[in-house]
Amino acid sequence: MTEKTALTPGTHTTPPAKFSHGVKKGNILQVAGQVGFLPAEPGKPPTPAGPGLREQTLQTLANVRSILNEGGAGWDDVMMIRVYLTDTGHFAEFNELYDAYFEEQALTAPPAARTTVYVGLPAGLLVEIDALAVLG
Amino acid sequence: MTEKTALTPGTHTTPPAKFSHGVKKGNILQVAGQVGFLPAEPGKPPTPAGPGLREQTLQTLANVRSILNEGGAGWDDVMMIRVYLTDTGHFAEFNELYDAYFEEQALTAPPAARTTVYVGLPAGLLVEIDALAVLG
Amino acid sequence: MTEKTALTPGTHTTPPAKFSHGVKKGNILQVAGQVGFLPAEPGKPPTPAGPGLREQTLQTLANVRSILNEGGAGWDDVMMIRVYLTDTGHFAEFNELYDAYFEEQALTAPPAARTTVYVGLPAGLLVEIDALAVLG
């Protein structure tokens, strides 16, 4: 029996429903859909980084990474990154931010696969990202 | 060689194309996107529970669970739940239903991670859910 | 330590950002979202097969398969296929194409699970597909 553990960085706001920010079981780690919420502050509602796509994207990637790190993993372990944008017009700028971010991460393994689609998100949110990692 | 098996609960309607409602291989179990179709009745087309989000959501979750159970798994094994809604205005009500449902399931492991996005679905469908489980 | 390797068929156009067309680690293989781009030609921008859903769908499935094959896998190993269409009116035709395609693949294992949702895609693209495989 392999135990399933929740991954809950101290900086994260409480999820809006009964789900975990991340879970790990055996060598599989799944990060829930993250958005660009700034680190939680007691008594304040979740607030996205702003004002634009750049700040939200970088905060979202930082939020995904926190969960990976909480589970003893990092970007090198990530197999799949799912990107949800709200506007096809954001694709080029998002890719520039994405590439620059991962350039800085100094990966030692090939980058993850990725799927990017355009969906609706709650008002004010421009990007959501989740990730699947295989440790080992 | 680990065998891949299809998971096909007797209550389920035939998939509209050549895919399985669920598959299991080794310790990985994947549930296909489920919607709120009522248990299949011979000679009747697939019919969603109704009239609203509440009925469809509960039926959809029941349909996901049937497939998990068919594979010898349960909610405790689920790592990721992907929720597709059609209207951001449904988020609060959906979360209430989701939380109440999982309260009743009496999980003994941390809840799964989750991503929720807003997409188009075939006419009449308000919610679709799929799930990835790692068996213990 | 299990190594993570990138899967890059020679026929594929360069990804538009720092991600891999596919990655494999241990027995898990993840294919990135593929679209209906024709095989890459030096000096030409990525061009989708055309003019319609049929050509794009068949090219997209071929592109997914190239990546599976590059990793020593095939459709029989695929657990989950995620289909992103842009128009609910395409569902019936897409399913006909999907079924005919998999009929020809002569699977020796049950078909993969599948989720199909309707999203926005970059201009000109009608379908995107990704896949998760567990090798035997």
Side-chain angles (χ1 to χ4, degrees):
Chain A
M1 189 68 189
T2 312
E3 204 180 355
K4 176 186 175 190
T5 54
L7 308 172
T8 313
T11 49
H12 272 51
T13 53
T14 307
K18 204 171 169 52
F19 65 84
S20 300
H21 279 304
V23 287
K24 184 179 165 184
K25 188 174 181 181
N27 67 334
I28 305 284
L29 189 163
Q30 176 73 54
V31 176
Q34 299 296 301
V35 295
F37 288 150
L38 293 162
E41 289 187 49
K44 282 188 61 177
T47 306
L53 181 68
R54 176 185 177 80
E55 293 79 8
Q56 281 199 23
T57 296
L58 296 178
Q59 186 64 49
T60 300
L61 288 166
N63 290 344
V64 172
R65 189 174 54 173
S66 293
I67 296 166
L68 292 170
N69 292 169
E70 191 78 17
W75 288 117
D76 276 335
D77 301 300
V78 175
M79 301 289 285
M80 184 61 165
I81 294 177
R82 293 187 181 277
V83 177
Y84 302 96
L85 298 176
T86 58
D87 185 341
T88 53
H90 288 167
F91 191 51
E93 184 186 355
F94 177 82
N95 279 338
E96 278 177 36
L97 295 165
Y98 189 90
D99 286 0
Y101 176 84
F102 281 106
E103 199 64 49
E104 284 176 14
Q105 300 299 309
L107 303 184
T108 61
R114 197 183 86 178
T115 289
T116 306
V117 292
Y118 302 86
V119 301
L121 293 178
L125 299 178
L126 303 173
V127 56
E128 179 163 353
I129 297 179
D130 62 50
L132 174 70
V134 173
L135 283 74
Chain B
M1 190 67 191
T2 312
E3 203 181 353
K4 177 186 176 191
T5 54
L7 308 172
T8 312
T11 49
H12 273 50
T13 52
T14 306
K18 205 171 168 53
F19 64 83
S20 300
H21 279 303
V23 287
K24 184 179 165 184
K25 190 175 181 181
N27 69 333
I28 304 285
L29 188 162
Q30 176 72 54
V31 177
Q34 298 296 302
V35 294
F37 288 150
L38 293 163
E41 289 187 49
K44 282 187 61 177
T47 307
L53 182 67
R54 176 185 177 80
E55 294 78 9
Q56 279 198 25
T57 297
L58 296 179
Q59 185 65 50
T60 300
L61 288 166
N63 289 346
V64 172
R65 188 175 55 174
S66 294
I67 296 166
L68 293 169
N69 292 170
E70 191 78 17
W75 289 115
D76 276 335
D77 302 300
V78 175
M79 301 291 284
M80 183 61 163
I81 294 178
R82 295 188 180 277
V83 177
Y84 301 96
L85 298 176
T86 58
D87 185 341
T88 54
H90 288 168
F91 191 51
E93 183 186 354
F94 177 81
N95 279 339
E96 280 178 36
L97 295 165
Y98 189 90
D99 286 0
Y101 176 83
F102 281 107
E103 200 63 50
E104 284 176 13
Q105 300 301 309
L107 302 184
T108 62
R114 196 184 85 179
T115 289
T116 305
V117 292
Y118 302 86
V119 301
L121 293 179
L125 298 177
L126 302 173
V127 55
E128 179 162 354
I129 297 178
D130 62 51
L132 174 70
V134 173
L135 281 73
Chain C
M1 191 66 189
T2 312
E3 204 182 353
K4 177 186 175 192
T5 54
L7 307 172
T8 313
T11 49
H12 272 51
T13 52
T14 306
K18 204 171 168 51
F19 64 84
S20 299
H21 279 303
V23 286
K24 184 179 166 185
K25 188 175 180 182
N27 68 333
I28 305 285
L29 188 162
Q30 177 72 54
V31 176
Q34 297 297 302
V35 295
F37 288 149
L38 293 164
E41 289 187 50
K44 282 187 62 177
T47 306
L53 181 67
R54 175 186 178 80
E55 294 78 11
Q56 279 199 24
T57 297
L58 296 178
Q59 185 66 49
T60 300
L61 289 166
N63 289 345
V64 172
R65 188 174 56 173
S66 293
I67 296 166
L68 293 169
N69 292 169
E70 191 79 16
W75 289 116
D76 276 336
D77 301 300
V78 176
M79 300 291 283
M80 185 62 164
I81 293 176
R82 293 189 181 276
V83 177
Y84 302 96
L85 298 176
T86 58
D87 185 340
T88 53
H90 287 168
F91 191 50
E93 183 185 355
F94 177 81
N95 279 337
E96 278 177 37
L97 294 165
Y98 189 90
D99 287 0
Y101 175 84
F102 282 107
E103 199 65 48
E104 284 176 14
Q105 299 301 308
L107 303 183
T108 62
R114 195 184 86 179
T115 289
T116 306
V117 292
Y118 302 86
V119 301
L121 293 178
L125 299 177
L126 303 173
V127 56
E128 180 163 352
I129 297 178
D130 63 50
L132 174 70
V134 174
L135 280 74

